[in-house]
Amino acid sequence: MITIAGESFKSAIFIELKGIGLSQALKQLYSTIIYLKQGFSDHRIEARIVGSRDVPGFTNIPDYKKLFKEVKQTGGSIQRATNKIYEETI
């Protein structure tokens, strides 16, 4: 996890690195966010997954929808990268 505190915003970026098993990454991110979210109640929650390959229909997986609902409440998003490198622009 990385936290960013700007003058007008605070973000907590939760990151999961996976070779395969992106569904498991969604579950792990969700569990971690639920466990720590009280400490970041004034932050925008972001979820990031960096994996070695893409999964067709990823956004239709029930675990994706569950995680999306949680991060959307804070104004956050879910992003993923499949090239083993992810860059965040703030």
Side-chain angles (χ1 to χ4, degrees), residues 4-63:
I4 300 170
E7 289 184 28
S8 61
F9 71 93
K10 292 182 182 179
S11 290
I13 304 171
F14 292 82
I15 306 163
E16 185 65 38
L17 306 174
K18 285 289 182 202
I20 58 172
L22 296 183
S23 182
Q24 184 64 24
L26 293 167
K27 291 176 186 176
Q28 289 173 310
L29 284 167
Y30 180 81
S31 295
T32 304
I33 289 168
I34 294 300
Y35 182 74
L36 296 174
K37 80 176 190 176
Q38 188 173 357
F40 295 98
S41 60
D42 60 342
H43 287 63
R44 182 176 63 217
I45 303 295
E46 304 284 354
R48 303 295 183 254
I49 301 169
V50 180
S52 60
R53 62 184 167 139
D54 198 10
V55 174
F58 184 73
T59 58
N60 294 321
I61 297 172
D63 290 319

Side-chain angles (χ1 to χ4, degrees), residues 52-83:
S52 60
R53 62 184 167 139
D54 198 10
V55 174
F58 184 73
T59 58
N60 294 321
I61 297 172
D63 290 319
Y64 178 93
K65 292 177 180 183
K66 187 176 172 182
L67 178 60
F68 181 77
K69 182 179 176 185
E70 193 64 40
V71 299
K72 186 178 180 185
Q73 293 175 22
T74 69
S77 65
I78 301 171
Q79 300 292 324
R80 61 193 168 130
T82 56
N83 60 358

